[in-house]
Amino acid sequence: MEKDNARQRVLSGIQPTGTFTLGNYLGAVRNWPLLQNEYDCVYMIADQHSITVKQEPKLLRQRTLEAGAMLLASGIDPDKSLVFIQSQNPAHSQLSWALSCYTMFGELSRMTQYKDKSAKHADNINAGLFTYPVLMAADILIYNAHKVPVGADQKQHVELARDIATRFNNLYGETFVLPENLNPKVGAKIMSLQEPTKKMSKSDTNEKATILLLDDETKIMKKFKSAVTDSENCVRYDVENKPGISNLMGIYNVFTGKSFEEIEKEFDGLGYGAFKEAVGTSVVEGLRPFQTKYNDIISDKAYLQKVLTEGAEKSYAYAMRTVRKVYKKIGFVQFDK
Ligand code: ATP
Ligand code: LTN
C-alpha cells in the first residue's frame, strides 16, 4: 500500500459465515476488483465479526480460507490489493477499544443489524454483537479509507464510522479521513428467493432462499424455478407490489446489462416460467468463470496462505501507524525507541 496520499483508499470486508450468496456478490464482492485500478484497495475477511454469532471452530477455519479463495476468484489481484484475515492483524482490535470510548450507547442501540440479529439469536445477545459497528469503524478508519463499497444493509454502519471520525477529529484535530459508502445502483439489496421482502443472507437456513456462488447449474435452475413471485403473471418492475419479480429483474439486469424496460418487453406475454429460466441461465453463465477460478485457487493452499500472510503483514504495518498516532493524541505514553 502506498504511504503517501497519491490515491484514495478503499476498504471493505465480508464475514466468513458461509459460501457467498448472489447478494454478497452483486451488492459488494463483484465490485471490489473493479476498484483496484483507481484506488489502493484493502479487502478483509471479517472473522472477528463473525463470532458475534456462534461459530463452530473447525468450520470457521475452513470457511475463512474458502472466503479468501472466493475473494481471489472474484478477480481481486493480490499484486494490486491487500487481502487478509482480520484476526491476523491485531491493530484493528487495538483501535476499536479506543474508538468505543468515543461511541455513544444510544448510537449503537439504533443500529438495525443489531436489532435484527439480536431478535434472530435471542439466546446469545452478547456485547460483541452490540459493539460490532465500533470494530467495523476501526477497520475503516485505520486505513483512512475514503470509500467503503458495501451493500445497502451496511450503509448505517459506514455512517456511524463517519460520525465517530468526525467526533474524534473535533476533539483532537484532523486525524481520520471521513469515509463514504459506495453502493451499486442495482444489486445493493438482493432479496431472498423465498421471502422477497427479506434480504438474501448467507446464514439463512432455508436453502431455497439463496443462490450460493458455488451452486451447480442444476441447483441454480431449480432454486430460480421455485422462487416466490405473484399471481399476475406479468414481468413488470414494481418493488412494492411485485417484490419477487422485481428482485429477479434486478439480478437479470446485472448479468445481461438489459434495462428493466428491455426486460419487460422481452418477456411480454411469455409468463414467469420462461423468465425464471432465462434468469437462471444468465446466472449460471455469469458465475462460470468465478467457479472455475475458485476451484483452481482452493486446491492450491500454499498460494492462498502466502497471499493472506503477506496481506496481514502489510496491512498491519500500515494500520499500526494509525494506532500510534491515535494513542499519542489520546494521551497514552509512548517511549521513544
Ligand atoms: P450473514 O448472513 O452471516 O449475516 P451476509 O450474507 O449478510 O452474512 P455479510 O458478510 O454480512 O453477508 O456481508 C458482506 C457484504 O455483502 C456486505 O457488503 C453486505 O452489504 C453485502 N450483502 C449482504 N447481503 C446482501 C444482499 N442481500 N444484497 C446485497 N448486498 C448484500
Ligand atoms: N460488517 C460487515 C463486514 C465488515 C465490513 C467491515 C464491511 C466488517 N468490517 C469494514 C465494510 C468495512 C458485514 O457484516 N457485512
Side-chain angles (χ1 to χ4, degrees), residues 11-15 44 46 49 86 113 117 132 135-137 139-140 148-150 153-154 157-158 199:
L11 175 122
S12 202
I14 186 156
Q15 302 187 56
M44 183 189 81
H49 283 273
Q86 186 182 31
Q113 180 171 297
K117 288 208 172 172
Y132 165 117
L135 180 57
M136 179 159 161
D139 299 334
I140 298 168
V148 186
V150 283
D153 59 307
Q154 295 300 315
H157 292 160
V158 179
K199 80 160 190 159

mmCIF file with all atom_site columns, all heavy atoms in Angstrom, residues 11-15 44 46 49 86 113 117 132 135-137 139-140 148-150 153-154 157-158 199, ligand 2:
data_model
loop_
_atom_site.group_PDB
_atom_site.id
_atom_site.type_symbol
_atom_site.label_atom_id
_atom_site.label_alt_id
_atom_site.label_comp_id
_atom_site.label_asym_id
_atom_site.label_entity_id
_atom_site.label_seq_id
_atom_site.pdbx_PDB_ins_code
_atom_site.Cartn_x
_atom_site.Cartn_y
_atom_site.Cartn_z
_atom_site.occupancy
_atom_site.B_iso_or_equiv
_atom_site.pdbx_formal_charge
_atom_site.auth_seq_id
_atom_site.auth_comp_id
_atom_site.auth_asym_id
_atom_site.auth_atom_id
_atom_site.pdbx_PDB_model_num
ATOM   1   N N   . LEU A 1 11  ? -11.722 0.387   1.511  1.00 0.00 ? 11  LEU A N   1
ATOM   2   C CA  . LEU A 1 11  ? -11.678 -0.793  2.389  1.00 0.00 ? 11  LEU A CA  1
ATOM   3   C C   . LEU A 1 11  ? -13.045 -1.449  2.420  1.00 0.00 ? 11  LEU A C   1
ATOM   4   O O   . LEU A 1 11  ? -14.072 -0.765  2.447  1.00 0.00 ? 11  LEU A O   1
ATOM   5   C CB  . LEU A 1 11  ? -11.315 -0.425  3.832  1.00 0.00 ? 11  LEU A CB  1
ATOM   6   C CG  . LEU A 1 11  ? -11.423 -1.688  4.707  1.00 0.00 ? 11  LEU A CG  1
ATOM   7   C CD1 . LEU A 1 11  ? -10.155 -2.017  5.409  1.00 0.00 ? 11  LEU A CD1 1
ATOM   8   C CD2 . LEU A 1 11  ? -12.618 -1.686  5.626  1.00 0.00 ? 11  LEU A CD2 1
ATOM   9   N N   . SER A 1 12  ? -13.044 -2.785  2.376  1.00 0.00 ? 12  SER A N   1
ATOM   10  C CA  . SER A 1 12  ? -14.294 -3.487  2.645  1.00 0.00 ? 12  SER A CA  1
ATOM   11  C C   . SER A 1 12  ? -14.017 -4.838  3.272  1.00 0.00 ? 12  SER A C   1
ATOM   12  O O   . SER A 1 12  ? -12.864 -5.290  3.301  1.00 0.00 ? 12  SER A O   1
ATOM   13  C CB  . SER A 1 12  ? -15.141 -3.625  1.385  1.00 0.00 ? 12  SER A CB  1
ATOM   14  O OG  . SER A 1 12  ? -16.496 -3.824  1.783  1.00 0.00 ? 12  SER A OG  1
ATOM   15  N N   . GLY A 1 13  ? -15.078 -5.448  3.781  1.00 0.00 ? 13  GLY A N   1
ATOM   16  C CA  . GLY A 1 13  ? -14.911 -6.736  4.448  1.00 0.00 ? 13  GLY A CA  1
ATOM   17  C C   . GLY A 1 13  ? -16.123 -7.618  4.246  1.00 0.00 ? 13  GLY A C   1
ATOM   18  O O   . GLY A 1 13  ? -17.206 -7.135  3.903  1.00 0.00 ? 13  GLY A O   1
ATOM   19  N N   . ILE A 1 14  ? -15.899 -8.895  4.457  1.00 0.00 ? 14  ILE A N   1
ATOM   20  C CA  . ILE A 1 14  ? -17.005 -9.850  4.377  1.00 0.00 ? 14  ILE A CA  1
ATOM   21  C C   . ILE A 1 14  ? -16.799 -10.916 5.434  1.00 0.00 ? 14  ILE A C   1
ATOM   22  O O   . ILE A 1 14  ? -15.661 -11.320 5.703  1.00 0.00 ? 14  ILE A O   1
ATOM   23  C CB  . ILE A 1 14  ? -17.125 -10.455 2.947  1.00 0.00 ? 14  ILE A CB  1
ATOM   24  C CG1 . ILE A 1 14  ? -18.366 -11.334 2.847  1.00 0.00 ? 14  ILE A CG1 1
ATOM   25  C CG2 . ILE A 1 14  ? -15.870 -11.233 2.543  1.00 0.00 ? 14  ILE A CG2 1
ATOM   26  C CD1 . ILE A 1 14  ? -18.901 -11.492 1.436  1.00 0.00 ? 14  ILE A CD1 1
ATOM   27  N N   . GLN A 1 15  ? -17.888 -11.346 6.059  1.00 0.00 ? 15  GLN A N   1
ATOM   28  C CA  . GLN A 1 15  ? -17.779 -12.351 7.122  1.00 0.00 ? 15  GLN A CA  1
ATOM   29  C C   . GLN A 1 15  ? -17.682 -13.760 6.529  1.00 0.00 ? 15  GLN A C   1
ATOM   30  O O   . GLN A 1 15  ? -18.412 -14.077 5.595  1.00 0.00 ? 15  GLN A O   1
ATOM   31  C CB  . GLN A 1 15  ? -19.005 -12.290 8.009  1.00 0.00 ? 15  GLN A CB  1
ATOM   32  C CG  . GLN A 1 15  ? -19.218 -10.943 8.642  1.00 0.00 ? 15  GLN A CG  1
ATOM   33  C CD  . GLN A 1 15  ? -20.360 -10.994 9.638  1.00 0.00 ? 15  GLN A CD  1
ATOM   34  O OE1 . GLN A 1 15  ? -20.350 -11.784 10.567 1.00 0.00 ? 15  GLN A OE1 1
ATOM   35  N NE2 . GLN A 1 15  ? -21.341 -10.155 9.435  1.00 0.00 ? 15  GLN A NE2 1
ATOM   36  N N   . MET A 1 44  ? -10.873 -7.461  3.423  1.00 0.00 ? 44  MET A N   1
ATOM   37  C CA  . MET A 1 44  ? -10.641 -8.194  4.650  1.00 0.00 ? 44  MET A CA  1
ATOM   38  C C   . MET A 1 44  ? -11.693 -9.274  4.878  1.00 0.00 ? 44  MET A C   1
ATOM   39  O O   . MET A 1 44  ? -12.870 -9.074  4.575  1.00 0.00 ? 44  MET A O   1
ATOM   40  C CB  . MET A 1 44  ? -10.768 -7.121  5.736  1.00 0.00 ? 44  MET A CB  1
ATOM   41  C CG  . MET A 1 44  ? -10.524 -7.506  7.100  1.00 0.00 ? 44  MET A CG  1
ATOM   42  S SD  . MET A 1 44  ? -11.017 -6.102  8.137  1.00 0.00 ? 44  MET A SD  1
ATOM   43  C CE  . MET A 1 44  ? -12.763 -6.343  8.192  1.00 0.00 ? 44  MET A CE  1
ATOM   44  N N   . ALA A 1 46  ? -13.693 -10.854 7.559  1.00 0.00 ? 46  ALA A N   1
ATOM   45  C CA  . ALA A 1 46  ? -14.017 -10.366 8.907  1.00 0.00 ? 46  ALA A CA  1
ATOM   46  C C   . ALA A 1 46  ? -14.373 -11.518 9.846  1.00 0.00 ? 46  ALA A C   1
ATOM   47  O O   . ALA A 1 46  ? -15.516 -11.655 10.284 1.00 0.00 ? 46  ALA A O   1
ATOM   48  C CB  . ALA A 1 46  ? -15.146 -9.347  8.803  1.00 0.00 ? 46  ALA A CB  1
ATOM   49  N N   . HIS A 1 49  ? -15.638 -10.395 13.302 1.00 0.00 ? 49  HIS A N   1
ATOM   50  C CA  . HIS A 1 49  ? -17.050 -10.003 13.297 1.00 0.00 ? 49  HIS A CA  1
ATOM   51  C C   . HIS A 1 49  ? -17.951 -11.221 13.342 1.00 0.00 ? 49  HIS A C   1
ATOM   52  O O   . HIS A 1 49  ? -19.014 -11.193 13.946 1.00 0.00 ? 49  HIS A O   1
ATOM   53  C CB  . HIS A 1 49  ? -17.374 -9.203  12.031 1.00 0.00 ? 49  HIS A CB  1
ATOM   54  C CG  . HIS A 1 49  ? -16.895 -7.789  12.089 1.00 0.00 ? 49  HIS A CG  1
ATOM   55  N ND1 . HIS A 1 49  ? -17.633 -6.781  12.639 1.00 0.00 ? 49  HIS A ND1 1
ATOM   56  C CD2 . HIS A 1 49  ? -15.744 -7.225  11.679 1.00 0.00 ? 49  HIS A CD2 1
ATOM   57  C CE1 . HIS A 1 49  ? -16.961 -5.646  12.564 1.00 0.00 ? 49  HIS A CE1 1
ATOM   58  N NE2 . HIS A 1 49  ? -15.804 -5.894  11.987 1.00 0.00 ? 49  HIS A NE2 1
ATOM   59  N N   . GLN A 1 86  ? -8.874  -10.767 9.188  1.00 0.00 ? 86  GLN A N   1
ATOM   60  C CA  . GLN A 1 86  ? -8.929  -9.725  10.239 1.00 0.00 ? 86  GLN A CA  1
ATOM   61  C C   . GLN A 1 86  ? -8.198  -10.125 11.526 1.00 0.00 ? 86  GLN A C   1
ATOM   62  O O   . GLN A 1 86  ? -7.449  -9.334  12.088 1.00 0.00 ? 86  GLN A O   1
ATOM   63  C CB  . GLN A 1 86  ? -10.397 -9.437  10.539 1.00 0.00 ? 86  GLN A CB  1
ATOM   64  C CG  . GLN A 1 86  ? -10.645 -8.289  11.480 1.00 0.00 ? 86  GLN A CG  1
ATOM   65  C CD  . GLN A 1 86  ? -12.144 -8.128  11.740 1.00 0.00 ? 86  GLN A CD  1
ATOM   66  O OE1 . GLN A 1 86  ? -12.900 -9.094  11.720 1.00 0.00 ? 86  GLN A OE1 1
ATOM   67  N NE2 . GLN A 1 86  ? -12.564 -6.904  11.966 1.00 0.00 ? 86  GLN A NE2 1
ATOM   68  N N   . GLN A 1 113 ? -28.925 -3.686  12.206 1.00 0.00 ? 113 GLN A N   1
ATOM   69  C CA  . GLN A 1 113 ? -28.382 -5.052  12.163 1.00 0.00 ? 113 GLN A CA  1
ATOM   70  C C   . GLN A 1 113 ? -28.343 -5.651  13.578 1.00 0.00 ? 113 GLN A C   1
ATOM   71  O O   . GLN A 1 113 ? -28.611 -6.827  13.771 1.00 0.00 ? 113 GLN A O   1
ATOM   72  C CB  . GLN A 1 113 ? -26.975 -5.073  11.552 1.00 0.00 ? 113 GLN A CB  1
ATOM   73  C CG  . GLN A 1 113 ? -26.399 -6.487  11.510 1.00 0.00 ? 113 GLN A CG  1
ATOM   74  C CD  . GLN A 1 113 ? -25.104 -6.584  10.722 1.00 0.00 ? 113 GLN A CD  1
ATOM   75  O OE1 . GLN A 1 113 ? -25.077 -6.340  9.520  1.00 0.00 ? 113 GLN A OE1 1
ATOM   76  N NE2 . GLN A 1 113 ? -24.042 -6.933  11.397 1.00 0.00 ? 113 GLN A NE2 1
ATOM   77  N N   . LYS A 1 117 ? -30.251 -8.987  14.392 1.00 0.00 ? 117 LYS A N   1
ATOM   78  C CA  . LYS A 1 117 ? -29.512 -10.180 14.821 1.00 0.00 ? 117 LYS A CA  1
ATOM   79  C C   . LYS A 1 117 ? -29.842 -10.549 16.259 1.00 0.00 ? 117 LYS A C   1
ATOM   80  O O   . LYS A 1 117 ? -29.824 -11.721 16.611 1.00 0.00 ? 117 LYS A O   1
ATOM   81  C CB  . LYS A 1 117 ? -27.993 -10.000 14.617 1.00 0.00 ? 117 LYS A CB  1
ATOM   82  C CG  . LYS A 1 117 ? -27.620 -10.049 13.134 1.00 0.00 ? 117 LYS A CG  1
ATOM   83  C CD  . LYS A 1 117 ? -26.221 -10.543 12.857 1.00 0.00 ? 117 LYS A CD  1
ATOM   84  C CE  . LYS A 1 117 ? -26.041 -10.739 11.347 1.00 0.00 ? 117 LYS A CE  1
ATOM   85  N NZ  . LYS A 1 117 ? -24.698 -11.040 10.925 1.00 0.00 ? 117 LYS A NZ  1
ATOM   86  N N   . TYR A 1 132 ? -20.118 -4.331  17.708 1.00 0.00 ? 132 TYR A N   1
ATOM   87  C CA  . TYR A 1 132 ? -19.627 -4.688  16.369 1.00 0.00 ? 132 TYR A CA  1
ATOM   88  C C   . TYR A 1 132 ? -19.399 -3.482  15.441 1.00 0.00 ? 132 TYR A C   1
ATOM   89  O O   . TYR A 1 132 ? -18.353 -3.396  14.785 1.00 0.00 ? 132 TYR A O   1
ATOM   90  C CB  . TYR A 1 132 ? -20.661 -5.676  15.829 1.00 0.00 ? 132 TYR A CB  1
ATOM   91  C CG  . TYR A 1 132 ? -20.718 -6.018  14.385 1.00 0.00 ? 132 TYR A CG  1
ATOM   92  C CD1 . TYR A 1 132 ? -20.481 -7.329  13.966 1.00 0.00 ? 132 TYR A CD1 1
ATOM   93  C CD2 . TYR A 1 132 ? -21.074 -5.087  13.418 1.00 0.00 ? 132 TYR A CD2 1
ATOM   94  C CE1 . TYR A 1 132 ? -20.591 -7.674  12.642 1.00 0.00 ? 132 TYR A CE1 1
ATOM   95  C CE2 . TYR A 1 132 ? -21.169 -5.427  12.097 1.00 0.00 ? 132 TYR A CE2 1
ATOM   96  C CZ  . TYR A 1 132 ? -20.935 -6.715  11.705 1.00 0.00 ? 132 TYR A CZ  1
ATOM   97  O OH  . TYR A 1 132 ? -21.029 -7.050  10.402 1.00 0.00 ? 132 TYR A OH  1
ATOM   98  N N   . LEU A 1 135 ? -15.920 -1.936  15.924 1.00 0.00 ? 135 LEU A N   1
ATOM   99  C CA  . LEU A 1 135 ? -14.815 -2.664  15.280 1.00 0.00 ? 135 LEU A CA  1
ATOM   100 C C   . LEU A 1 135 ? -14.837 -2.392  13.772 1.00 0.00 ? 135 LEU A C   1
ATOM   101 O O   . LEU A 1 135 ? -13.796 -2.195  13.139 1.00 0.00 ? 135 LEU A O   1
ATOM   102 C CB  . LEU A 1 135 ? -14.919 -4.176  15.569 1.00 0.00 ? 135 LEU A CB  1
ATOM   103 C CG  . LEU A 1 135 ? -13.836 -5.067  14.962 1.00 0.00 ? 135 LEU A CG  1
ATOM   104 C CD1 . LEU A 1 135 ? -12.432 -4.643  15.382 1.00 0.00 ? 135 LEU A CD1 1
ATOM   105 C CD2 . LEU A 1 135 ? -14.056 -6.542  15.334 1.00 0.00 ? 135 LEU A CD2 1
ATOM   106 N N   . MET A 1 136 ? -16.024 -2.330  13.217 1.00 0.00 ? 136 MET A N   1
ATOM   107 C CA  . MET A 1 136 ? -16.126 -2.031  11.782 1.00 0.00 ? 136 MET A CA  1
ATOM   108 C C   . MET A 1 136 ? -15.618 -0.612  11.489 1.00 0.00 ? 136 MET A C   1
ATOM   109 O O   . MET A 1 136 ? -14.940 -0.382  10.481 1.00 0.00 ? 136 MET A O   1
ATOM   110 C CB  . MET A 1 136 ? -17.577 -2.206  11.310 1.00 0.00 ? 136 MET A CB  1
ATOM   111 C CG  . MET A 1 136 ? -17.778 -1.887  9.864  1.00 0.00 ? 136 MET A CG  1
ATOM   112 S SD  . MET A 1 136 ? -19.273 -2.645  9.219  1.00 0.00 ? 136 MET A SD  1
ATOM   113 C CE  . MET A 1 136 ? -19.524 -1.640  7.763  1.00 0.00 ? 136 MET A CE  1
ATOM   114 N N   . ALA A 1 137 ? -15.907 0.324   12.384 1.00 0.00 ? 137 ALA A N   1
ATOM   115 C CA  . ALA A 1 137 ? -15.389 1.694   12.207 1.00 0.00 ? 137 ALA A CA  1
ATOM   116 C C   . ALA A 1 137 ? -13.859 1.666   12.257 1.00 0.00 ? 137 ALA A C   1
ATOM   117 O O   . ALA A 1 137 ? -13.183 2.332   11.458 1.00 0.00 ? 137 ALA A O   1
ATOM   118 C CB  . ALA A 1 137 ? -15.951 2.612   13.288 1.00 0.00 ? 137 ALA A CB  1
ATOM   119 N N   . ASP A 1 139 ? -11.934 -0.849  11.443 1.00 0.00 ? 139 ASP A N   1
ATOM   120 C CA  . ASP A 1 139 ? -11.468 -1.459  10.180 1.00 0.00 ? 139 ASP A CA  1
ATOM   121 C C   . ASP A 1 139 ? -11.316 -0.388  9.098  1.00 0.00 ? 139 ASP A C   1
ATOM   122 O O   . ASP A 1 139 ? -10.370 -0.401  8.308  1.00 0.00 ? 139 ASP A O   1
ATOM   123 C CB  . ASP A 1 139 ? -12.494 -2.475  9.641  1.00 0.00 ? 139 ASP A CB  1
ATOM   124 C CG  . ASP A 1 139 ? -12.763 -3.638  10.565 1.00 0.00 ? 139 ASP A CG  1
ATOM   125 O OD1 . ASP A 1 139 ? -11.879 -3.970  11.369 1.00 0.00 ? 139 ASP A OD1 1
ATOM   126 O OD2 . ASP A 1 139 ? -13.881 -4.207  10.484 1.00 0.00 ? 139 ASP A OD2 1
ATOM   127 N N   . ILE A 1 140 ? -12.272 0.500   9.075  1.00 0.00 ? 140 ILE A N   1
ATOM   128 C CA  . ILE A 1 140 ? -12.315 1.508   8.002  1.00 0.00 ? 140 ILE A CA  1
ATOM   129 C C   . ILE A 1 140 ? -11.344 2.658   8.291  1.00 0.00 ? 140 ILE A C   1
ATOM   130 O O   . ILE A 1 140 ? -10.524 3.037   7.452  1.00 0.00 ? 140 ILE A O   1
ATOM   131 C CB  . ILE A 1 140 ? -13.755 2.070   7.878  1.00 0.00 ? 140 ILE A CB  1
ATOM   132 C CG1 . ILE A 1 140 ? -14.734 0.953   7.497  1.00 0.00 ? 140 ILE A CG1 1
ATOM   133 C CG2 . ILE A 1 140 ? -13.815 3.230   6.898  1.00 0.00 ? 140 ILE A CG2 1
ATOM   134 C CD1 . ILE A 1 140 ? -16.202 1.336   7.640  1.00 0.00 ? 140 ILE A CD1 1
ATOM   135 N N   . VAL A 1 148 ? -16.084 2.984   0.987  1.00 0.00 ? 148 VAL A N   1
ATOM   136 C CA  . VAL A 1 148 ? -16.373 1.667   1.552  1.00 0.00 ? 148 VAL A CA  1
ATOM   137 C C   . VAL A 1 148 ? -17.466 1.005   0.706  1.00 0.00 ? 148 VAL A C   1
ATOM   138 O O   . VAL A 1 148 ? -18.652 1.334   0.850  1.00 0.00 ? 148 VAL A O   1
ATOM   139 C CB  . VAL A 1 148 ? -16.830 1.791   3.030  1.00 0.00 ? 148 VAL A CB  1
ATOM   140 C CG1 . VAL A 1 148 ? -16.989 0.414   3.658  1.00 0.00 ? 148 VAL A CG1 1
ATOM   141 C CG2 . VAL A 1 148 ? -15.842 2.637   3.830  1.00 0.00 ? 148 VAL A CG2 1
ATOM   142 N N   . PRO A 1 149 ? -17.082 0.125   -0.223 1.00 0.00 ? 149 PRO A N   1
ATOM   143 C CA  . PRO A 1 149 ? -18.083 -0.499  -1.090 1.00 0.00 ? 149 PRO A CA  1
ATOM   144 C C   . PRO A 1 149 ? -18.801 -1.653  -0.375 1.00 0.00 ? 149 PRO A C   1
ATOM   145 O O   . PRO A 1 149 ? -18.208 -2.698  -0.116 1.00 0.00 ? 149 PRO A O   1
ATOM   146 C CB  . PRO A 1 149 ? -17.254 -1.020  -2.276 1.00 0.00 ? 149 PRO A CB  1
ATOM   147 C CG  . PRO A 1 149 ? -15.865 -1.197  -1.725 1.00 0.00 ? 149 PRO A CG  1
ATOM   148 C CD  . PRO A 1 149 ? -15.705 -0.278  -0.555 1.00 0.00 ? 149 PRO A CD  1
ATOM   149 N N   . VAL A 1 150 ? -20.049 -1.420  -0.028 1.00 0.00 ? 150 VAL A N   1
ATOM   150 C CA  . VAL A 1 150 ? -20.854 -2.417  0.689  1.00 0.00 ? 150 VAL A CA  1
ATOM   151 C C   . VAL A 1 150 ? -22.273 -2.417  0.147  1.00 0.00 ? 150 VAL A C   1
ATOM   152 O O   . VAL A 1 150 ? -22.680 -1.489  -0.557 1.00 0.00 ? 150 VAL A O   1
ATOM   153 C CB  . VAL A 1 150 ? -20.923 -2.101  2.206  1.00 0.00 ? 150 VAL A CB  1
ATOM   154 C CG1 . VAL A 1 150 ? -19.653 -2.488  2.928  1.00 0.00 ? 150 VAL A CG1 1
ATOM   155 C CG2 . VAL A 1 150 ? -21.253 -0.630  2.461  1.00 0.00 ? 150 VAL A CG2 1
ATOM   156 N N   . ASP A 1 153 ? -27.398 -2.834  3.280  1.00 0.00 ? 153 ASP A N   1
ATOM   157 C CA  . ASP A 1 153 ? -27.600 -3.142  4.709  1.00 0.00 ? 153 ASP A CA  1
ATOM   158 C C   . ASP A 1 153 ? -26.470 -2.592  5.590  1.00 0.00 ? 153 ASP A C   1
ATOM   159 O O   . ASP A 1 153 ? -26.645 -2.467  6.798  1.00 0.00 ? 153 ASP A O   1
ATOM   160 C CB  . ASP A 1 153 ? -27.728 -4.656  4.910  1.00 0.00 ? 153 ASP A CB  1
ATOM   161 C CG  . ASP A 1 153 ? -26.490 -5.401  4.427  1.00 0.00 ? 153 ASP A CG  1
ATOM   162 O OD1 . ASP A 1 153 ? -26.086 -5.198  3.260  1.00 0.00 ? 153 ASP A OD1 1
ATOM   163 O OD2 . ASP A 1 153 ? -25.911 -6.161  5.219  1.00 0.00 ? 153 ASP A OD2 1
ATOM   164 N N   . GLN A 1 154 ? -25.318 -2.282  5.016  1.00 0.00 ? 154 GLN A N   1
ATOM   165 C CA  . GLN A 1 154 ? -24.176 -1.822  5.812  1.00 0.00 ? 154 GLN A CA  1
ATOM   166 C C   . GLN A 1 154 ? -24.012 -0.303  5.822  1.00 0.00 ? 154 GLN A C   1
ATOM   167 O O   . GLN A 1 154 ? -23.104 0.232   6.460  1.00 0.00 ? 154 GLN A O   1
ATOM   168 C CB  . GLN A 1 154 ? -22.879 -2.456  5.286  1.00 0.00 ? 154 GLN A CB  1
ATOM   169 C CG  . GLN A 1 154 ? -22.823 -3.959  5.454  1.00 0.00 ? 154 GLN A CG  1
ATOM   170 C CD  . GLN A 1 154 ? -22.916 -4.371  6.910  1.00 0.00 ? 154 GLN A CD  1
ATOM   171 O OE1 . GLN A 1 154 ? -22.265 -3.802  7.773  1.00 0.00 ? 154 GLN A OE1 1
ATOM   172 N NE2 . GLN A 1 154 ? -23.759 -5.346  7.189  1.00 0.00 ? 154 GLN A NE2 1
ATOM   173 N N   . HIS A 1 157 ? -23.796 1.445   9.154  1.00 0.00 ? 157 HIS A N   1
ATOM   174 C CA  . HIS A 1 157 ? -22.539 1.269   9.886  1.00 0.00 ? 157 HIS A CA  1
ATOM   175 C C   . HIS A 1 157 ? -21.454 2.211   9.352  1.00 0.00 ? 157 HIS A C   1
ATOM   176 O O   . HIS A 1 157 ? -20.622 2.701   10.114 1.00 0.00 ? 157 HIS A O   1
ATOM   177 C CB  . HIS A 1 157 ? -22.050 -0.181  9.786  1.00 0.00 ? 157 HIS A CB  1
ATOM   178 C CG  . HIS A 1 157 ? -22.931 -1.152  10.505 1.00 0.00 ? 157 HIS A CG  1
ATOM   179 N ND1 . HIS A 1 157 ? -22.929 -2.505  10.230 1.00 0.00 ? 157 HIS A ND1 1
ATOM   180 C CD2 . HIS A 1 157 ? -23.829 -0.979  11.490 1.00 0.00 ? 157 HIS A CD2 1
ATOM   181 C CE1 . HIS A 1 157 ? -23.795 -3.104  11.020 1.00 0.00 ? 157 HIS A CE1 1
ATOM   182 N NE2 . HIS A 1 157 ? -24.361 -2.205  11.786 1.00 0.00 ? 157 HIS A NE2 1
ATOM   183 N N   . VAL A 1 158 ? -21.461 2.433   8.050  1.00 0.00 ? 158 VAL A N   1
ATOM   184 C CA  . VAL A 1 158 ? -20.456 3.336   7.480  1.00 0.00 ? 158 VAL A CA  1
ATOM   185 C C   . VAL A 1 158 ? -20.739 4.774   7.944  1.00 0.00 ? 158 VAL A C   1
ATOM   186 O O   . VAL A 1 158 ? -19.826 5.531   8.270  1.00 0.00 ? 158 VAL A O   1
ATOM   187 C CB  . VAL A 1 158 ? -20.433 3.242   5.931  1.00 0.00 ? 158 VAL A CB  1
ATOM   188 C CG1 . VAL A 1 158 ? -19.401 4.199   5.339  1.00 0.00 ? 158 VAL A CG1 1
ATOM   189 C CG2 . VAL A 1 158 ? -20.143 1.814   5.478  1.00 0.00 ? 158 VAL A CG2 1
ATOM   190 N N   . LYS A 1 199 ? -33.758 -9.583  3.036  1.00 0.00 ? 199 LYS A N   1
ATOM   191 C CA  . LYS A 1 199 ? -32.542 -9.664  2.212  1.00 0.00 ? 199 LYS A CA  1
ATOM   192 C C   . LYS A 1 199 ? -32.026 -11.105 2.131  1.00 0.00 ? 199 LYS A C   1
ATOM   193 O O   . LYS A 1 199 ? -32.188 -11.895 3.064  1.00 0.00 ? 199 LYS A O   1
ATOM   194 C CB  . LYS A 1 199 ? -31.458 -8.705  2.730  1.00 0.00 ? 199 LYS A CB  1
ATOM   195 C CG  . LYS A 1 199 ? -30.673 -9.194  3.907  1.00 0.00 ? 199 LYS A CG  1
ATOM   196 C CD  . LYS A 1 199 ? -29.327 -8.437  4.026  1.00 0.00 ? 199 LYS A CD  1
ATOM   197 C CE  . LYS A 1 199 ? -28.471 -9.139  5.070  1.00 0.00 ? 199 LYS A CE  1
ATOM   198 N NZ  . LYS A 1 199 ? -27.073 -8.924  5.014  1.00 0.00 ? 199 LYS A NZ  1
HETATM 199 N N1  . LTN B 2 .   ? -19.921 -5.646  8.833  1.00 0.00 ? 2   LTN B N1  1
HETATM 200 C C1  . LTN B 2 .   ? -19.792 -6.139  7.500  1.00 0.00 ? 2   LTN B C1  1
HETATM 201 C C2  . LTN B 2 .   ? -18.472 -6.791  7.221  1.00 0.00 ? 2   LTN B C2  1
HETATM 202 C C3  . LTN B 2 .   ? -17.414 -5.842  7.551  1.00 0.00 ? 2   LTN B C3  1
HETATM 203 C C4  . LTN B 2 .   ? -17.081 -4.654  6.826  1.00 0.00 ? 2   LTN B C4  1
HETATM 204 C C5  . LTN B 2 .   ? -16.014 -4.057  7.542  1.00 0.00 ? 2   LTN B C5  1
HETATM 205 C C6  . LTN B 2 .   ? -17.575 -4.060  5.675  1.00 0.00 ? 2   LTN B C6  1
HETATM 206 C C7  . LTN B 2 .   ? -16.580 -5.898  8.615  1.00 0.00 ? 2   LTN B C7  1
HETATM 207 N N2  . LTN B 2 .   ? -15.757 -4.829  8.613  1.00 0.00 ? 2   LTN B N2  1
HETATM 208 C C8  . LTN B 2 .   ? -15.483 -2.843  7.151  1.00 0.00 ? 2   LTN B C8  1
HETATM 209 C C9  . LTN B 2 .   ? -17.013 -2.848  5.284  1.00 0.00 ? 2   LTN B C9  1
HETATM 210 C C10 . LTN B 2 .   ? -15.997 -2.246  6.014  1.00 0.00 ? 2   LTN B C10 1
HETATM 211 C C11 . LTN B 2 .   ? -20.923 -7.088  7.264  1.00 0.00 ? 2   LTN B C11 1
HETATM 212 O O1  . LTN B 2 .   ? -21.437 -7.673  8.149  1.00 0.00 ? 2   LTN B O1  1
HETATM 213 N N3  . LTN B 2 .   ? -21.290 -7.210  6.060  1.00 0.00 ? 2   LTN B N3  1
#
